[in-house]
Amino acid sequence: MTTASKPLVAPRHVSAIAPYQAGKPIEELAREFGLDPAGIVKLASNENPLGMPESARKAMLAAAESLARYPDPNGFDLKAALSQRYGVPASWITLGNGSNDILEIAALALLEPGASAVYAQHSFAVYRLATQARGARHIVVPARDYGHDLDAMFEAIADDTRLVFIANPNNPTGTFVPGDRVAAFLERVHETHGDRVTVVLDEAYNEYLDPELRFDSTDLVRRYANLIVSRTFSKAYGLAGLRVGFAVAQPALTDLLNRVRQPFNVNTLAQAAAIAALADADYLQRAYESNKAGKAQLCAAFERLGLRYVPSYGNFVLVRVGDAPRINLELLKRGVIVRPVAGDGLPEWLRVTIGLPQENARFIEALEAVLEE
Ligand SMILES: Cc1ncc(COP(=O)(O)O)c(C=O)c1O
């Protein structure tokens, strides 16, 4: 046998990974269908339609001066700002290259072959990917009304379970579990399993919640040493392209996360922009209000068109269109990119990110035309 004929060898759990399906980039659609990129509306990746905060752009440009140097591996300034905002010691914070990195780091720190992770059906795809990449077992708990069934998730925890992932609000369904139910779940898990089972409470869409629904998850972190709260700057803070997120957890867990993360996992521009965005209360408020108005615009259209949708607490809405592959293709031909979610077990649905009023209107107009065909 020649050297060249020796096959590539990879662990079976790695070759079995079904890669993440990202939203189609605007340039790719323009190439495929010969469309003008300027006329394309992308409502596929839960990005912030306001564009990045001006404050963050300025901070990033200033930080560009020092790009010949490595970033601060400990993110001192960003952690200090987060510490002040959330009232937790900086030593409780782990920065991530997006909160996706936090989820991967948690899986890397806690999972291995012979262990398992619990997560809900129709929940964020990265829970499956991160679990699979560690060669751990998946315990997928059926959703209830498209959301997390926390009682069933508690019952599903097995002897080998080390991690439970909860997305709150959930992606792609947009459902939300109120704070008292999350707290009761954490109490039950801790009482029964102590610190043996870590819960990751993924709050990527937290800032879109109406104020009366928000609850202080850092208070839960103070109470439970087996809790990791994960947040991101990609959504309401408008910095998806920079990749920055963070985790809050007590020191023992934080120490574990820090052992497996890359030393320079958050780049210089991202750290500077995140500090500026965190201080930009005006931008955050505009993002919240624009999202609320856009959600009402989309939901009113779905009702008018007689389409079922899941009431959403995030910056997107899951809508049932029936023949989703056909409708998605016809929307693409009209220059509108949304997200098919068949891979999440929802073959008749599409997930639509809430855009600016004119973007939402373009989508509604295209959808209406496609449905009439
Ligand atoms: C529930 C949830 N968690 C985490 C993420 C990861 O986002 P990022 O890595 O940009 O912070 C997403 C992104 O879509 C998400 O929907």
Side-chain angles (χ1 to χ4, degrees):
M1 203 154 78
T2 64
T3 315
S5 68
K6 284 185 182 160
L8 179 66
V9 179
R12 223 177 357 198
H13 61 264
V14 173
S15 43
I17 292 174
Y20 183 79
Q21 300 287 334
K24 191 186 273 292
I26 288 176
E27 297 299 337
E28 186 180 310
L29 178 67
R31 276 195 304 274
E32 274 178 16
F33 289 89
L35 300 172
D36 174 6
I40 292 175
V41 170
K42 184 184 175 207
L43 302 173
S45 301
N46 298 347
E47 294 150 339
N48 194 321
L50 299 182
M52 78 183 293
E54 184 56 25
S55 54
R57 198 178 68 85
K58 284 194 184 127
M60 207 176 71
L61 288 174
E65 294 299 324
S66 59
L67 284 181
R69 307 235 175 247
Y70 281 101
D72 176 357
N74 296 312
F76 182 88
D77 291 337
L78 177 54
K79 282 189 191 173
L82 289 166
S83 161
Q84 194 166 24
R85 165 63 59 91
Y86 292 105
V88 293
S91 58
W92 289 29
I93 298 168
T94 307
L95 301 181
N97 186 27
S99 61
N100 196 325
D101 192 29
I102 297 293
L103 305 173
E104 293 284 354
I105 288 171
L108 195 55
L110 294 159
L111 295 179
E112 61 185 329
S116 68
V118 170
Y119 55 88
Q121 177 194 22
H122 313 316
S123 195
F124 187 40
V126 167
Y127 309 153
R128 169 177 56 78
L129 290 169
T131 302
Q132 181 72 27
R134 299 302 298 142
R137 190 164 69 91
H138 307 257
I139 301 180
V140 185
V141 178
R144 192 168 60 189
D145 297 331
Y146 300 96
H148 289 72
D149 181 345
L150 290 187
D151 289 337
M153 289 180 77
F154 172 77
E155 297 299 339
I157 292 171
D159 287 345
D160 64 359
T161 300
R162 302 256 185 83
L163 261 186
V164 178
F165 289 106
I166 297 174
N168 202 37
N170 186 42
N171 173 20
T173 62
T175 55
F176 172 69
V177 182
D180 55 345
R181 297 215 341 247
V182 172
F185 174 79
L186 290 169
E187 178 60 33
R188 252 178 117 187
V189 172
H190 197 254
E191 204 176 76
T192 311
H193 302 286
D195 293 342
R196 185 181 67 80
V197 176
T198 296
V199 178
V200 175
L201 183 60
D202 174 356
E203 299 188 320
Y205 301 96
N206 173 273
E207 295 83 2
Y208 291 112
L209 290 171
D210 288 338
E212 67 274 14
L213 292 177
R214 291 180 204 156
F215 60 91
D216 185 0
S217 46
T218 56
D219 191 44
L220 295 172
V221 174
R222 277 179 214 97
R223 258 191 278 164
Y224 300 108
N226 63 330
L227 175 62
I228 298 172
V229 168
S230 163
R231 294 278 188 97
T232 185
F233 284 91
S234 296
K235 311 295 177 184
Y237 288 103
L239 299 178
L242 279 175
R243 316 303 301 127
V244 52
F246 63 98
V248 182
Q250 287 194 20
L253 254 182
T254 301
D255 176 58
L256 271 183
L257 300 181
N258 266 304
R259 282 168 198 255
V260 294
R261 74 170 175 89
Q262 285 183 39
F264 302 103
N265 61 336
V266 181
N267 70 72
T268 302
L269 302 183
Q271 291 188 31
I275 292 167
L278 194 63
D280 197 338
D282 176 58
Y283 177 90
L284 195 64
Q285 185 62 22
R286 279 193 294 123
Y288 165 77
E289 281 167 13
S290 152
N291 188 65
K292 196 174 165 91
K295 195 184 298 179
Q297 185 185 3
L298 287 182
C299 293
F302 296 150
E303 273 163 33
R304 185 166 54 77
L305 296 170
L307 296 175
R308 195 168 151 212
Y309 63 93
V310 180
S312 173
Y313 294 83
N315 67 344
F316 53 89
V317 185
L318 185 71
V319 60
R320 186 163 176 267
V321 293
D323 188 355
R326 181 186 78 81
I327 295 200
N328 182 52
L329 180 64
E330 291 302 323
L331 288 172
L332 288 174
K333 287 184 194 163
R334 288 165 171 80
V336 176
I337 314 175
V338 297
R339 181 72 76 93
V341 282
D344 300 299
L346 297 159
E348 298 193 328
W349 300 71
L350 292 173
R351 191 196 69 189
V352 188
T353 300
I354 297 164
L356 296 172
Q358 61 274 25
E359 294 174 320
N360 300 331
R362 266 285 312 279
F363 158 69
I364 292 164
E365 191 189 335
L367 179 66
E368 213 166 341
V370 172
L371 289 173
E372 271 171 14
E373 269 176 1

